[in-house]
Amino acid sequence: MDSDSDKKSSGAAVIATVDVKEARNLINQGHRCLDVRTEEEFENGHFESAINIPYMFKTPQGRVKNPKFMDQVLAVCGREDKLVVGCQSGVRSVYATTDLLQAEFKHVCNMGGGYIEWVANGLPIKIIDKPPPNSHHPNPMGSL
């Protein structure tokens, strides 16, 4: 058996997996980074220049697949776009990459290890600034 684990077969789709350093090189060369984690995970820190389209949502019953995932991806990406798909640890991104390949996206690869490995390798991240939970915003209409 070959020890090369760079490609995984999932039905008809063959998934190419790259490590985080190669993912960054691809992004720097013009690949788009699709972050499929939840909005909350994304806001707490994400890959530089990433587009966030959650593959799954948290619900009281657990995680459920985003039923509009493919429509949301197609709204911002073309099937010919070069995509690197990442998540927290590399599991959801495998599922998302499989779906994208089955939807005839041509140039898609999975980021092995995901955000956890990205951070562990000291690669740049971006954090969305959020106002403190109890901050009061001035009334934009002024006093009436």
Side-chain angles (χ1 to χ4, degrees):
M1 178 174 230
D2 191 345
S3 64
D4 181 17
S5 63
D6 290 338
K7 296 198 183 245
K8 295 178 183 169
S9 181
S10 178
V14 176
I15 299 170
T17 295
V18 298
D19 67 27
V20 293
K21 291 181 181 177
E22 179 61 17
R24 183 169 188 224
N25 288 338
L26 291 171
I27 293 164
N28 287 341
Q29 294 169 17
H31 284 60
R32 300 177 79 183
C33 181
L34 179 60
D35 187 328
V36 298
R37 297 177 302 150
T38 65
E39 288 179 17
E40 180 180 78
E41 288 171 310
F42 185 82
E43 289 173 358
N44 288 330
H46 56 269
F47 314 105
E48 58 185 347
S49 70
I51 303 164
N52 181 227
I53 301 175
Y55 185 75
M56 302 188 94
F57 295 120
K58 289 182 184 176
T59 70
Q61 294 77 31
R63 288 188 176 169
V64 296
K65 184 177 175 184
N66 174 359
K68 296 182 180 178
F69 175 74
M70 195 58 61
D71 292 336
Q72 291 170 341
V73 173
L74 285 166
V76 295
C77 299
R79 286 188 167 92
E80 295 295 327
D81 288 357
K82 295 177 179 177
L83 301 175
V84 176
V85 183
C87 64
Q88 190 71 11
S89 65
V91 176
R92 282 172 281 176
S93 57
V94 169
Y95 293 118
T97 299
T98 299
D99 285 2
L100 291 165
L101 290 168
Q102 290 174 346
E104 300 182 3
F105 278 76
K106 307 286 187 239
H107 312 284
V108 184
C109 62
N110 174 57
M111 183 188 308
Y115 185 74
I116 292 170
E117 276 299 307
W118 185 276
V119 172
N121 278 270
L123 299 175
I125 62 169
K126 184 172 182 178
I127 298 173
I128 296 176
D129 292 326
K130 295 184 281 186
N134 292 324
S135 65
H136 296 284
H137 298 286
N139 182 349
M141 301 297 290
S143 57
L144 298 175

